[in-house]
């Protein structure tokens, strides 16, 4: 069928185009404006449709699916509220460079602009939160546009796209055109190979460095497993220390000898100090986000900066670079490794003094926390979760908040595509649907959403989806009965005024799990934790694990808002003073 032009309806074209682009799963929710497409879905079994409970969930599921497989995630929603509900996930995917193809229904073309039932200007609303979008007015253009949507979503800097299809176009009959290797869109041609002269200049800078630092990001993972392998090779060849953003964890193994831990607002002391004091910084597939840089005029003031990125708008956007290399990380690293080898620049003895200094920073033990035999410390909970799951085929997603940062700090990732978290947008509610998307792609793997008691309630209705499709996702809630990160900021930066961050009237998570047809587990004693985690792992159904942790634990290190990245609060400096006068929302002393 594929490979030849043929007559079919618009709805049939959508299904054919999805198949021709290798789609096996889509996440969606029906409504009037997409019923012709749903009717076609019903008459085929090549593509599995996962029925979500809210369109935001569909978007995050598609993100989790995309990030764990490297393939684009596909979403199908109706017009009006269906489209607006998915906007949060589109913006999330845009900021984290996740390939999504979102197909939305639209009112018939004759009604567009008339405030028809369930009408909204989907193309207008989604223009700023997509890489590109289309309103299809001619059925004969539909197949070409869908193929183009897949190309744009997955190439260059990946991102979300929207194809808005009016109902009359879905009913209309036209000619289906199969995907073509000939690219019609001349204006969009991502550059894959980096400029060799610039790569040579970068190599020369790196060879002269006494205090180098590699700063890697999500772009390495987006580039593919080979890029991650080349990054590891470059670190091995040069002997340079390496850190990573939240999005880049797993590209270089957490057990690697040159690993400095994550950098940024809740990164390690050694990573941030080394970034500040380095003389040559090699930024690979990251974008100098404000969570990394802290106050810009205090960011790594004495370093020469090399920046490798596939997005031309990212180079020199925030931080001025000395050598900007436009290209795909994998292609550029391949040239870098080859040129480094050819020039025999492998004398690592000139870095001895730098590693001595790094050892002193590491000795500060910036992730230290006070152990407790009576109360589960959240850091301890993540450490135990890691120890009991690291030998398994495990994928981790998170919600957003303190639990997310503790997961990044204490769960060690050895491989790419195992860590799914909302970085740029910081979307509470992301982790659970993302975990469902991962589980759809990896039915036999262990998929855990590390959650907070506030975040998990944002998309909790997707328990119904997990139970329906027998997707045994585990929700591991670090329950401190606060919006923990909000409380931490209020404590440290807003004079202890805990405004609306105490989460009262919490559900009984055990009963909630059971109400949906899942399994609930609760643990509040450190001695019981290992057994309870093992029970969670062994349960072949969706689980909500209510892990009761110390209510007032704070996440350190922390770069306070507006400070430079070497001006960090460490646990021993911050906790006593901040907690001394803490009161809860009802005015009761907390300590």
């Amino acid at each position: 069928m594929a490979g030849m032009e043929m007559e079919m309806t618009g709805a049939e074209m959508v299904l054919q185009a999805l198949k021709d682009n290798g789609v096996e799963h889509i996440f969606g929710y029906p409504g009037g404006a997409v019923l012709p497409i749903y009717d076609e879905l019903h008459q085929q079994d090549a593509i599995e449709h996962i029925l979500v409970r809210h369109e935001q969930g569909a978007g995050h599921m598609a993100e989790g699916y995309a990030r764990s497989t490297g393939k684009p995630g596909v979403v199908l929603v109706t017009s009006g509220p269906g489209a607006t509900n998915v906007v949060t996930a589109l913006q999330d995917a845009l900021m984290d460079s996740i390939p999504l193809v979102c197909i939305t229904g639209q009112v018939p073309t004759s009604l567009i602009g008339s405030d028809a039932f369930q009408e909204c200007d989907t193309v207008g609303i989604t223009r700023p939160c997509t890489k590109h979008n289309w309103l299809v007015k001619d059925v004969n253009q539909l197949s070409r546009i869908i193929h183009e949507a897949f190309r744009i979503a997955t190439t260059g800097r990946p991102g979300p796209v929207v194809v808005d299809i009016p109902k009359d176009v879905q009913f209309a009959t036209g000619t289906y055109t199969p995907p073509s290797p000939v690219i019609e869109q001349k204006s969009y041609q991502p550059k894959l190979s980096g400029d060799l002269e610039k790569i040579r200049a970068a190599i020369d800078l790196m060879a002269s460095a006494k205090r180098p630092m590699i700063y890697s990001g999500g772009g390495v993972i987006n580039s593919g497993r080979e890029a991650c392998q080349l990054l590891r090779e470059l670190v091995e060849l040069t002997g340079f220390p390496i850190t990573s953003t939240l999005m880049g964890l797993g590209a270089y193994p957490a057990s690697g000898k040159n690993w400095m831990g994550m950098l940024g607002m809740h990164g390690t002391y050694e990573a941030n100090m080394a970034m500040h004091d380095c003389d040559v910084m090699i930024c690979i597939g990251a974008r100098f986000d404000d969570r990394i840089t802290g106050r810009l005029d205090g960011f790594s003031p004495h370093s020469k900066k090399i920046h490798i990125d596939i997005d031309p708008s990212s180079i020199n956007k925030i931080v001025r670079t000395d050598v900007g290399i436009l290209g795909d990380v994998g292609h550029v690293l391949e040239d870098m490794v080859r040129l480094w080898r050819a020039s025999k620049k492998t004398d690592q003895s000139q870095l001895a003094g730098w590693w001595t200094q790094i050892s002193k920073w590491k000795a500060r033990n910036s992730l230290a926390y006070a152990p407790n035999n009576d109360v589960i410390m959240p850091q301890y909970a993540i450490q135990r979760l890691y120890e009991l799951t690291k030998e398994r085929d495990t994928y981790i997603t998170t919600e957003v908040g303190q639990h997310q940062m503790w997961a990044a700090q204490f769960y060690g990732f050895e491989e790419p595509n195992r860590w799914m978290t909302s970085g740029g947008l910081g979307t509470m509610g992301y982790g659970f649907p993302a975990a469902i998307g991962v589980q759809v792609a990896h039915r036999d793997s262990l998929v855990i959403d590390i959650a907070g008691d506030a975040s998990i309630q944002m998309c909790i209705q997707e328990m119904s989806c997990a139970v329906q499709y027998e997707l045994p996702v585990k929700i591991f809630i670090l329950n401190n009965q606060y919006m923990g990160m909000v409380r931490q900021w209020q404590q440290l930066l807003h004079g202890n005024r805990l405004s609306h961050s105490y989460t009262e009237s919490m559900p009984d998570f055990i009963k909630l799990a059971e109400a949906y047809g899942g399994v609930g587990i609760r643990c509040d004693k450190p001695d019981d934790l290992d057994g309870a985690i093992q029970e969670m792992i062994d349960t072949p159904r969706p689980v909500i694990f209510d892990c009761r942790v110390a209510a007032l634990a704070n996440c350190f290190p922390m770069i306070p808002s507006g400070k430079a990245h070497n001006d960090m609060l460490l646990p021993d400096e911050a906790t006593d003073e901040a907690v001394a006068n803490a009161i809860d929302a009802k005015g009761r002393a907390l300590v």
Side-chain angles (χ1 to χ4, degrees):
M1 198 160 167
M4 52 187 283
E5 292 193 351
M6 50 196 306
E7 291 293 303
M8 55 178 84
T9 66
E12 289 173 315
M13 285 182 190
V14 171
L15 268 293
Q16 189 60 49
L18 294 179
K19 289 173 195 166
D20 284 354
N21 282 283
V23 174
E24 294 168 23
H25 300 93
I26 63 175
F27 304 90
Y29 201 89
V34 279
L35 286 185
I37 297 171
Y38 270 87
D39 195 32
E40 289 303 324
L41 266 173
H42 186 66
Q43 299 173 56
Q44 59 82 55
D45 54 14
I47 295 172
E48 184 182 9
H49 175 276
I50 305 294
L51 176 67
V52 304
R53 299 305 185 264
H54 186 284
E55 291 89 353
Q56 180 183 347
H60 295 324
M61 286 179 204
E63 287 188 274
Y65 184 90
R67 290 177 65 172
S68 65
T69 61
K71 299 194 293 194
V74 182
V75 177
L76 175 61
V77 297
T78 196
S79 63
T84 58
N85 277 346
V86 86
V87 162
T88 299
L90 293 173
Q91 180 64 24
D92 193 90
L94 185 76
M95 292 188 80
D96 286 348
S97 308
I98 312 301
L100 292 193
V101 175
C102 178
I103 293 169
T104 57
Q106 184 54 276
V107 301
T109 45
S110 60
L111 292 180
I112 289 176
S114 72
D115 292 336
F117 177 64
Q118 292 195 330
E119 182 190 3
C120 73
D121 177 6
T122 300
V123 165
I125 289 168
T126 62
R127 184 170 287 121
C129 61
T130 52
K131 194 172 163 185
H132 197 61
N133 63 14
W134 298 260
L135 171 61
V136 185
K137 292 180 177 171
D138 175 0
V139 69
N140 290 305
Q141 296 296 315
L142 178 58
S143 51
R144 180 191 62 76
I145 285 172
I146 294 176
H147 304 322
E148 186 65 15
F150 276 91
R151 184 176 85 89
I152 287 179
T154 54
T155 56
R157 179 180 179 176
V161 297
V162 164
V163 183
D164 196 30
I165 313 174
K167 195 168 183 179
D168 56 321
V169 174
Q170 297 170 44
F171 277 126
T173 302
T175 305
Y176 177 82
T177 319
S180 160
V182 179
I183 294 162
E184 294 173 31
Q185 183 105 25
K186 298 289 187 279
S187 60
Y188 173 69
Q189 302 284 1
K191 187 170 182 293
L192 296 180
S193 297
D195 182 315
L196 266 178
E197 285 312 304
K198 288 188 171 174
I199 295 173
R200 282 196 186 94
I203 292 285
D204 289 344
L205 258 185
M206 288 159 66
S208 67
K210 300 283 189 292
R211 301 187 310 281
M213 192 67 179
I214 294 176
Y215 150 40
S216 63
V220 183
I221 291 168
N222 279 346
S223 185
R225 294 190 76 82
E226 206 170 302
C228 298
Q229 202 45 53
L230 287 161
L231 176 71
R232 294 168 186 218
E233 226 171 293
L234 187 70
V235 172
E236 187 66 31
L237 282 173
T238 58
F240 290 1
I242 175 168
T243 182
S244 154
T245 64
L246 182 73
M247 299 301 296
L249 297 176
Y252 183 83
S255 61
K257 65 181 195 303
N258 293 28
W259 179 238
M260 306 281 286
M262 181 177 77
L263 82 161
M265 182 171 272
H266 293 286
T268 64
Y269 183 67
E270 55 269 25
N272 284 323
M273 293 304 288
M275 282 285 279
H276 184 268
D277 285 5
C278 70
D279 60 359
V280 174
M281 178 192 299
I282 306 100
C283 172
I284 308 176
R287 59 186 175 87
F288 295 100
D289 177 76
D290 62 279
R291 302 288 104 163
I292 298 302
T293 62
R295 202 183 71 242
L296 267 173
D297 60 7
F299 176 67
S300 195
H302 311 299
S303 64
K304 297 275 190 196
K305 297 173 184 72
I306 298 161
H307 187 185
I308 305 167
D309 207 294
I310 198 156
D311 178 6
S313 73
S314 284
I315 295 175
N316 289 319
K317 179 166 80 176
I318 293 167
V319 169
R320 195 189 69 76
T321 48
D322 298 271
V323 182
I325 302 170
L326 179 61
D328 173 70
V329 163
H331 285 71
V332 175
L333 283 176
E334 195 174 354
D335 285 335
M336 276 188 145
V337 165
R338 183 173 52 79
L339 288 172
W340 188 275
R341 279 212 164 101
S343 54
K344 303 280 191 294
K345 293 181 172 119
T346 49
D347 177 18
Q348 296 182 11
S349 59
Q350 67 190 41
L351 308 180
W354 183 225
W355 279 108
T356 303
Q357 175 59 64
I358 287 169
S359 298
K360 288 177 185 164
W361 287 324
K362 278 189 173 175
R364 290 292 296 269
N365 198 8
S366 65
L367 297 181
Y369 63 94
N372 194 311
N373 292 327
D374 302 315
V375 180
I376 300 171
M377 295 304 287
Q379 300 94 326
Y380 177 73
I382 302 289
Q383 284 179 310
R384 296 316 303 154
L385 184 70
Y386 171 63
E387 290 301 329
L388 291 164
T389 58
K390 66 179 181 183
E391 302 300 329
R392 294 171 175 267
D393 181 26
T394 307
Y395 293 81
I396 300 290
T397 71
T398 77
E399 307 292 335
V400 169
Q402 286 177 319
H403 63 273
Q404 174 190 29
M405 294 299 116
W406 283 318
Q409 291 171 340
F410 290 96
Y411 200 103
F413 293 94
E414 297 297 306
E415 296 295 329
N417 308 101
R418 297 283 170 161
W419 163 248
M420 277 49 70
T421 193
S422 173
L425 197 61
T427 307
M428 290 173 74
Y430 167 90
F432 179 32
I436 292 175
V438 175
Q439 191 82 76
V440 165
H442 308 275
R443 299 278 173 149
D444 299 324
S445 302
L446 177 64
V447 184
I448 303 170
D449 169 32
I450 296 174
D453 49 293
S455 270
I456 191 56
Q457 295 189 74
M458 291 265 181
C459 283
I460 191 64
Q461 68 279 355
E462 300 307 337
M463 257 317 264
S464 187
C465 173
V467 169
Q468 177 183 341
Y469 293 98
E470 299 180 350
L471 300 165
V473 170
K474 317 302 181 200
I475 302 173
F476 188 76
I477 303 174
L478 297 186
N479 187 350
N480 56 13
Q481 293 166 53
Y482 280 93
M483 296 173 205
M485 193 62 88
V486 173
R487 177 199 52 71
Q488 177 169 336
W489 280 51
Q490 287 173 339
Q491 227 177 296
L492 300 177
L493 307 171
H494 296 276
N496 248 331
R497 291 178 293 282
L498 305 187
S499 176
H500 301 281
S501 53
Y502 179 55
T503 46
E504 289 189 78
S505 300
M506 295 289 288
D508 177 329
F509 285 116
I510 307 296
K511 286 182 178 173
L512 187 63
E514 291 167 354
Y516 276 113
V519 175
I521 299 172
R522 180 175 293 122
C523 184
D524 56 9
K525 294 275 185 296
D527 289 348
D528 301 337
L529 187 58
D530 279 20
I533 290 174
Q534 196 58 53
E535 184 191 343
M536 175 186 81
I537 294 167
D538 294 340
T539 302
R541 287 159 62 199
V543 175
I544 298 181
F545 187 117
D546 183 5
C547 185
R548 296 299 181 98
V549 298
L552 285 179
N554 278 334
C555 186
F556 294 113
M558 176 185 179
I559 303 170
S561 195
K563 301 281 189 178
H565 69 133
N566 63 328
D567 190 359
M568 308 181 72
L569 277 177
L570 295 177
D572 48 349
E573 299 165 355
T575 314
D576 301 337
E577 180 192 345
V579 174
N581 303 312
I583 55 168
D584 74 4
K586 290 187 169 174
R588 297 175 299 221
L590 291 174
V591 287

